[in-house]
Amino acid sequence: MSDPAQTLEQLRQALGDDAVVTGTNISQRHYSDWTGHAPACPAALLLPRTTAHVASALRICNAARQPVVPQGGMTGLAGGAVPRASDIALSLERLRGIEELDPAAATVSVLAGTPLEDIQQAALNAGFVFPLDLGARGSCQIGGNIATNAGGNAVIRYGMTRDLVLGLEVVLADGRVLDLRNKMIKNNCGYDLKQCFIGSEGTLGVITRAVLKLAPQPGPTSTLLCALPDYASAVSLLRRIQRSVGTPQAYELMWQDFFRLGVSWLENPTAPMSLDYPLYVLLESAVPGEPLETLLEQAFADGEVLDAVLAGSQAQARGLWKIREATAEFPLRMTPLNFDVSLPIGLIGDFVERCRTRLEQHWPGNHSVYFGHIGDSNLHLTVDCTSLPQPAPILDIEELVYSAVGELGGSVSAEHGIGLLKREFLHHSVGPEALAVMHQLKDCLDPNGILNPGKIFV
Amino acid sequence: MSDPAQTLEQLRQALGDDAVVTGTNISQRHYSDWTGHAPACPAALLLPRTTAHVASALRICNAARQPVVPQGGMTGLAGGAVPRASDIALSLERLRGIEELDPAAATVSVLAGTPLEDIQQAALNAGFVFPLDLGARGSCQIGGNIATNAGGNAVIRYGMTRDLVLGLEVVLADGRVLDLRNKMIKNNCGYDLKQCFIGSEGTLGVITRAVLKLAPQPGPTSTLLCALPDYASAVSLLRRIQRSVGTPQAYELMWQDFFRLGVSWLENPTAPMSLDYPLYVLLESAVPGEPLETLLEQAFADGEVLDAVLAGSQAQARGLWKIREATAEFPLRMTPLNFDVSLPIGLIGDFVERCRTRLEQHWPGNHSVYFGHIGDSNLHLTVDCTSLPQPAPILDIEELVYSAVGELGGSVSAEHGIGLLKREFLHHSVGPEALAVMHQLKDCLDPNGILNPGKIFV
């Protein structure tokens, strides 16, 4: 590595003094992400205003073998944007704004530092929706969403972030600018290079611009809570709905434990139905109530649904969602250890039983709750650390859960990425041959290893 | 390169005598694809039965620096699977069959040599659809569909082949087997390596297995033919339909020339409406007639639609489709020069005018027709070479069309790939920086350049 002071001087000359921040002038929000994991003040914070500045910065850092950590809105949940004290952080926050909304093509072209919510709003204003949606919408930036291939609330209907990206502009580690912008759904002109950068957590290139797909605005939705006898019914009900009225906007499964917790935390803890059913699903569909009711009658007759409540008003719909949104209160009411995993849809029920049994064997009386977007194979489980021996055996629990995921062919990261926090568990889902090829790809695109070193791989 | 005879002997020992075919024992269908371009009998044809055999074959060929051309159903339209006399062809046809259909996960796991139609049928039998569909369905193989990221008839609703692939097994040039099989919609475990191989036309690895997404079976569809005043109305009608009744199953635009030709070729050439409208759209929607009629009334009132026919029976629907399917008769009734390009949706109308004007300037009286899947940005145009001076100036016309595509930010290949036939025109859609990174990726995964050399790149 070259002399760090000399590198900083080169960066100041190339980007301007105001774009190179050091020491206590660096806001603490650049120290860690929403996990608060391993906060550190980076050696410098770069605030480029243009793609050309990003390119200059990377060219200088690459020549100096200076590690660079790309940063978006810092809302990640895997530590992917957390710097070490010797790293230079590169924030995209000044590359902000919507450059073009093309209503004929149904696309929006944006700078990487644009907050997700700004893009959603621009889409609405033009009569579309940008269907990527997640809790951090006001703070997260689209560049980070793309770099982590964010999931969120609408995946069952619209897919992951990858499915919403038509084109990118990316700066490579050596400062070359790759213009991969594209507005076409169909485009088979050689390798689809943008795919390499989506979900690569800032380790292969820095995303500076994106062209995104917009979707038509859906009509009003119906909200329905159903009680189910078993996990198999959750899957068959979903398939029944898809066949008869189309894929729902949301299909949120809650196991009994979660449902009871959610109801008990309501301001007015009145259950919309009995608390004794094994499973509950909250679903949102863009079809009016009547076809849904016909469908429900058949599901009742087949024993697939045991009880159901169709929200009669917006207020009632919000009330049902409040139960599912108990997750927002986890940090306030318990010490949550959260998992974000995915499994083949048919195996999620078995996985829950397996996991629950093993946790009970090791830590009798522990409190864990299960819920998930099962239509897109995603299960969340949360263990309350206050129900465990202290200090809580975090790593042991993680190993227990992730090895059970691996046994069933699942993924240790459904939507949050690997970052720093899941590197040790990646082997449960990725074999040595695939890992070796990932390293090859990394060496190919970033031979000096300056981009986000230490992330994804141990 | 090592001694070819010695390489063949090693291949016979590894794969068995019956899996290594030479000389006149090689069926001519391995000489070229559906274009009939540059047919050649390869030095040998390999017919491996297992992934392990594919791996052995590539290991041997890689050590010998022996070029290998992967082959599927040979239905390609860009020459991507056409061998040279010195190449060894590797056909996946014996890796055929459906290994598992998982109704809970809505996935099907198949061997690469399985014909597309077999997969469609298996999906139907299980109450799903596999929505990839194209004319070659009975002959093409899924491995080839994936290697070329095939488009087809249902892209507007279900996306390209890439959007239907959840997992792959791939053999690398050096014989390493990459198991990237996956049944989950959400899986963010490091780089999504399978994306590198989808659409890479056999130049980065040989696909041996795939895990594919199934979709729910749609209900019965309505078929509608509308006459439109201009191209802008074609786009606004599409967006209107998407907003009110959802994305249609098909949205096929025909310019007047094409429509007149299609009607004139009908067995009973009775036009379903006047032949004097500027544009016609044939659309298929999975909603019943009534909401469509309401929507049409509004479109009429807004001047977006000038005339419309809603098919009252299956037979009438088939009759309307017959006009669009005139393309199947192109090879019989003219000497077609076909183009498959894509453009930002809002620019397709301008492109057609630009292209038509320039063709007329250069070759007055030439006959060209325009039609396309405009909802997915795809335009086809066909020039009848019999209407041109002889010998027909094919390369000049290609340069004219592809340079006009490049000027408007379009793609010289929407769904067929680059193969041999579009290499010279790739630069109209791909910049030098992106091309350089494609070469880097090729060198990274196939350092000896044995996989399908000469394809995609000049």
Side-chain angles (χ1 to χ4, degrees):
Chain A
M1 204 189 288
S2 316
D3 174 30
Q6 197 187 326
T7 303
L8 282 184
E9 187 45 40
Q10 290 175 343
L11 288 166
R12 279 194 192 94
Q13 283 183 10
L15 278 66
D17 281 347
D18 78 311
V20 182
V21 187
T22 54
T24 51
N25 290 326
I26 299 176
S27 155
Q28 290 199 16
R29 64 184 198 80
H30 295 280
Y31 289 15
S32 187
D33 64 11
W34 275 12
T35 63
H37 182 77
C41 178
L45 168 69
L46 306 182
L47 296 165
R49 289 183 187 281
T50 63
T51 298
H53 278 180
V54 175
S56 299
L58 289 183
R59 209 174 297 119
I60 291 164
C61 290
N62 190 47
R65 307 291 190 267
Q66 166 62 52
V68 174
V69 179
Q71 293 190 334
M74 303 306 286
T75 63
L77 294 172
V82 176
R84 300 165 301 187
S86 55
D87 292 336
I88 286 183
L90 189 163
S91 171
L92 280 299
E93 66 198 65
R94 286 182 178 171
L95 277 99
R96 175 176 175 155
I98 287 157
E99 299 195 297
E100 186 205 24
L101 191 145
D102 180 340
T107 60
V108 61
S109 303
V110 301
L111 289 162
T114 311
L116 172 57
E117 202 166 41
D118 290 7
I119 303 172
Q120 292 175 334
Q121 194 53 54
L124 282 176
N125 294 347
F128 291 93
V129 288
F130 180 59
L132 178 65
D133 190 40
L134 37 104
R137 65 186 73 79
S139 313
C140 64
Q141 297 170 9
I142 191 66
N145 297 145
I146 297 170
T148 56
N149 186 28
N153 300 329
V155 172
I156 188 171
R157 180 134 183 133
Y158 299 101
M160 301 285 281
T161 300
R162 184 182 301 278
D163 301 301
L164 305 172
V165 176
L166 287 172
L168 291 180
E169 179 187 74
V170 180
V171 184
L172 297 177
D174 60 10
R176 279 181 291 164
V177 177
L178 265 186
D179 185 355
L180 308 171
R181 284 178 290 178
N182 163 64
K183 287 185 180 178
M184 282 84 71
I185 307 284
K186 285 186 176 173
N187 185 348
N188 276 336
C189 275
Y191 309 151
D192 190 359
L193 293 176
K194 70 174 180 287
Q195 304 294 346
C196 295
F197 304 100
I198 300 170
S200 69
E201 304 189 39
T203 64
L204 297 179
V206 176
I207 295 164
T208 46
R209 283 187 163 92
V211 184
L212 306 166
K213 239 187 255 183
L214 300 175
Q217 270 180 19
T221 57
S222 307
T223 305
L224 187 67
L225 178 72
C226 298
L228 312 173
D230 49 30
Y231 180 76
S233 297
V235 179
S236 56
L237 178 63
L238 172 62
R239 301 304 174 210
R240 182 195 292 268
I241 292 166
Q242 289 182 311
R243 276 194 309 271
S244 39
V245 298
T247 295
Q249 310 287 114
Y251 194 81
E252 299 292 322
L253 195 65
M254 297 169 273
W255 274 255
Q256 191 190 67
D257 288 7
F258 180 94
F259 189 75
R260 289 183 173 190
L261 195 74
V263 169
S264 73
W265 288 355
L266 293 175
E267 270 180 50
N268 169 14
T270 316
M273 60 176 67
S274 158
L275 295 171
D276 294 331
Y277 295 115
L279 287 147
Y280 302 82
V281 68
L282 182 62
L283 75 94
E284 192 100 20
S285 167
V287 296
E290 202 184 296
L292 266 186
E293 280 172 29
T294 312
L295 176 156
L296 264 187
E297 278 167 29
Q298 293 157 351
F300 266 114
D302 293 347
E304 209 168 75
V305 170
L306 302 177
D307 196 359
V309 172
L310 180 63
S313 66
Q314 289 274 5
Q316 218 182 329
R318 271 198 302 277
L320 295 177
W321 271 101
K322 267 279 173 216
I323 301 170
R324 172 62 181 79
E325 285 161 4
T327 48
E329 305 211 20
F330 281 2
L332 308 173
R333 297 188 182 242
M334 53 160 102
T335 306
L337 176 59
N338 296 318
F339 291 90
D340 157 51
V341 301
S342 66
L343 294 131
I345 292 172
L347 303 181
I348 291 179
D350 290 349
F351 174 82
V352 169
E353 294 320 312
R354 187 179 294 209
C355 215
R356 206 197 295 275
T357 305
R358 290 189 190 171
L359 285 170
E360 184 58 29
Q361 278 167 356
H362 285 77
W363 300 284
N366 81 85
H367 185 216
S368 59
V369 293
Y370 299 80
F371 55 104
H373 324 279
I374 67 134
D376 36 355
S377 54
N378 191 183
L379 180 77
H380 293 295
L381 79 100
T382 296
V383 182
D384 182 0
C385 292
T386 61
S387 70
L388 294 165
Q390 300 299 317
I394 308 277
L395 278 175
D396 293 340
I397 296 178
E398 290 183 327
E399 184 57 34
L400 184 151
V401 172
Y402 292 132
S403 61
V405 167
E407 288 164 18
L408 294 176
S411 163
V412 300
S413 176
E415 50 181 2
H416 299 162
I418 301 300
L420 284 174
L421 294 176
K422 294 191 175 179
R423 297 178 305 170
E424 283 80 9
F425 307 107
L426 187 57
H427 70 95
H428 289 300
S429 299
V430 176
E433 299 81 9
L435 205 59
V437 176
M438 289 184 196
H439 280 290
Q440 268 181 267
L441 195 58
K442 170 73 175 169
D443 292 343
C444 170
L445 291 173
D446 179 19
N448 297 329
I450 66 154
L451 281 176
N452 220 3
K455 306 296 162 46
I456 301 180
F457 311 111
V458 179
Chain B
M1 202 190 291
S2 316
D3 173 30
Q6 195 186 329
T7 304
L8 283 184
E9 187 45 39
Q10 290 175 344
L11 288 166
R12 281 196 191 92
Q13 283 183 11
L15 278 65
D17 282 347
D18 79 310
V20 183
V21 186
T22 55
T24 52
N25 290 325
I26 300 176
S27 156
Q28 290 198 14
R29 65 185 198 80
H30 294 280
Y31 288 15
S32 187
D33 65 10
W34 275 12
T35 63
H37 182 77
C41 178
L45 169 69
L46 306 183
L47 296 166
R49 290 183 186 281
T50 63
T51 298
H53 277 179
V54 175
S56 299
L58 289 183
R59 210 174 297 118
I60 291 165
C61 291
N62 191 48
R65 309 291 190 269
Q66 166 62 53
V68 174
V69 179
Q71 293 190 334
M74 302 305 287
T75 64
L77 294 172
V82 177
R84 301 166 301 187
S86 55
D87 292 336
I88 285 183
L90 189 161
S91 170
L92 280 300
E93 65 196 66
R94 287 183 177 171
L95 277 99
R96 174 176 176 155
I98 287 156
E99 299 194 297
E100 187 205 24
L101 191 147
D102 181 339
T107 59
V108 61
S109 302
V110 301
L111 290 161
T114 311
L116 172 57
E117 202 166 41
D118 290 8
I119 302 171
Q120 291 176 334
Q121 194 54 54
L124 282 176
N125 294 347
F128 291 92
V129 288
F130 180 59
L132 177 65
D133 189 40
L134 37 105
R137 65 184 72 81
S139 312
C140 65
Q141 296 170 12
I142 191 66
N145 297 144
I146 298 169
T148 56
N149 186 27
N153 300 329
V155 171
I156 188 172
R157 180 134 183 132
Y158 299 102
M160 300 286 281
T161 300
R162 184 183 301 277
D163 301 303
L164 305 172
V165 175
L166 286 173
L168 291 180
E169 180 187 74
V170 180
V171 184
L172 297 177
D174 60 11
R176 278 181 292 164
V177 177
L178 266 187
D179 186 354
L180 309 171
R181 285 178 290 177
N182 162 64
K183 287 185 178 178
M184 282 84 72
I185 307 284
K186 284 187 177 174
N187 185 348
N188 275 336
C189 274
Y191 309 151
D192 190 359
L193 293 177
K194 69 175 181 286
Q195 304 294 347
C196 295
F197 304 99
I198 300 170
S200 70
E201 304 189 38
T203 64
L204 296 179
V206 176
I207 294 164
T208 46
R209 285 186 163 91
V211 184
L212 307 166
K213 239 188 256 182
L214 300 175
Q217 272 180 17
T221 57
S222 306
T223 304
L224 188 66
L225 179 72
C226 298
L228 312 173
D230 49 30
Y231 180 76
S233 297
V235 179
S236 56
L237 178 63
L238 172 61
R239 301 302 175 213
R240 183 194 291 267
I241 292 166
Q242 289 182 312
R243 276 194 309 271
S244 38
V245 298
T247 295
Q249 310 288 113
Y251 194 81
E252 299 292 324
L253 195 65
M254 296 169 274
W255 274 255
Q256 191 190 68
D257 289 5
F258 181 94
F259 189 75
R260 289 183 173 191
L261 195 74
V263 169
S264 73
W265 289 354
L266 292 175
E267 271 181 48
N268 169 13
T270 315
M273 59 176 68
S274 158
L275 295 170
D276 294 331
Y277 295 116
L279 287 147
Y280 301 82
V281 69
L282 182 63
L283 74 94
E284 191 103 18
S285 167
V287 297
E290 204 184 296
L292 267 185
E293 280 171 29
T294 312
L295 177 155
L296 265 187
E297 278 166 30
Q298 294 157 349
F300 266 113
D302 292 348
E304 208 169 73
V305 170
L306 304 177
D307 196 359
V309 172
L310 180 62
S313 66
Q314 288 275 4
Q316 218 183 329
R318 270 197 304 277
L320 295 176
W321 272 102
K322 266 280 172 213
I323 301 169
R324 172 62 180 78
E325 284 160 4
T327 47
E329 305 210 20
F330 280 2
L332 308 173
R333 298 187 182 242
M334 54 160 102
T335 306
L337 177 59
N338 297 317
F339 291 90
D340 157 52
V341 301
S342 66
L343 294 132
I345 292 172
L347 303 180
I348 291 179
D350 289 348
F351 174 83
V352 169
E353 294 320 311
R354 187 178 295 208
C355 215
R356 205 197 296 275
T357 305
R358 290 187 191 172
L359 284 170
E360 185 57 29
Q361 278 166 356
H362 284 77
W363 299 283
N366 80 86
H367 184 216
S368 59
V369 293
Y370 299 80
F371 56 103
H373 324 280
I374 67 135
D376 36 341
S377 54
N378 191 182
L379 180 77
H380 294 294
L381 78 101
T382 296
V383 182
D384 182 358
C385 292
T386 61
S387 70
L388 294 165
Q390 300 299 318
I394 308 277
L395 278 176
D396 292 341
I397 296 177
E398 289 182 328
E399 184 57 34
L400 183 152
V401 172
Y402 292 132
S403 61
V405 167
E407 288 163 18
L408 295 176
S411 162
V412 299
S413 176
E415 49 181 2
H416 299 163
I418 301 301
L420 285 173
L421 294 176
K422 294 191 175 179
R423 298 179 304 170
E424 284 79 9
F425 308 106
L426 187 57
H427 70 95
H428 288 300
S429 300
V430 176
E433 300 81 9
L435 205 58
V437 176
M438 289 185 196
H439 280 291
Q440 269 181 268
L441 195 58
K442 170 73 175 169
D443 292 344
C444 170
L445 291 173
D446 178 20
N448 297 328
I450 65 154
L451 282 176
N452 220 4
K455 306 296 161 47
I456 302 180
F457 310 111
V458 178

